[in-house]
Amino acid sequence: MRSTRRCSRNGCPRQAVATLTYVYNESTAVVGPLAAFAEPHTYDLCEPHARSLTAPRGWDVVRHEGEFEPPPPTTDDLVALAEAVREAARPAPRPPADDQHPKDPHPTGRRGHLRVIPPNH
């Protein structure tokens, strides 16, 4: 599933709800609702960082006055979630019923892109 966009501030784990754009020729920082897509030269911010943003001396800040809300899930998110649920609900394939070969005490298994590797003894 696609991960949610996170705040661009270093070390901030919060979900982004606003987008910061600098308009350099007007010396203005614009903080508005989260853009539909992450764009180069813009910064996604969580609500605390969006509300507390200050601009350099001589610059203006134009800030969205309403509530910053997280974006609703997109159809891509819902499709990915449905596929993950279907995958988890599938029964695991049964091993072949071949009793002629001794069983490996440390078998390796594979599921999707993951592989179980036995410990070294």
Side-chain angles (χ1 to χ4, degrees):
M1 180 167 46
R2 184 172 66 102
S3 62
T4 58
R5 286 162 48 190
R6 298 283 173 203
C7 183
S8 296
R9 296 289 299 262
N10 284 337
C12 183
R14 294 184 197 99
Q15 181 179 6
V17 295
T19 297
L20 166 64
T21 306
Y22 290 108
V23 183
Y24 291 98
N25 62 347
E26 296 180 17
S27 299
T28 304
V30 180
V31 180
L34 187 64
F37 301 99
E39 297 285 337
H41 309 294
T42 64
Y43 304 90
D44 294 336
L45 300 174
C46 63
E47 186 164 5
H49 285 126
R51 297 252 180 244
S52 66
L53 179 89
T54 59
R57 186 177 305 154
W59 281 58
D60 294 319
V61 176
V62 176
R63 197 182 321 268
H64 174 70
E65 290 296 323
E67 292 294 317
F68 290 113
E69 297 179 12
T74 64
T75 55
D76 292 343
D77 293 335
L78 297 175
V79 169
L81 179 60
E83 289 174 0
V85 169
R86 277 190 222 110
E87 172 67 22
R90 283 190 192 126
R94 291 188 171 184
D98 189 352
D99 293 334
Q100 295 175 355
H101 298 288
K103 291 195 175 202
D104 184 357
H106 300 292
T108 60
R110 185 167 182 86
R111 179 162 181 164
H113 65 285
L114 303 175
R115 185 169 32 145
V116 177
I117 300 175
N120 293 330
H121 284 69

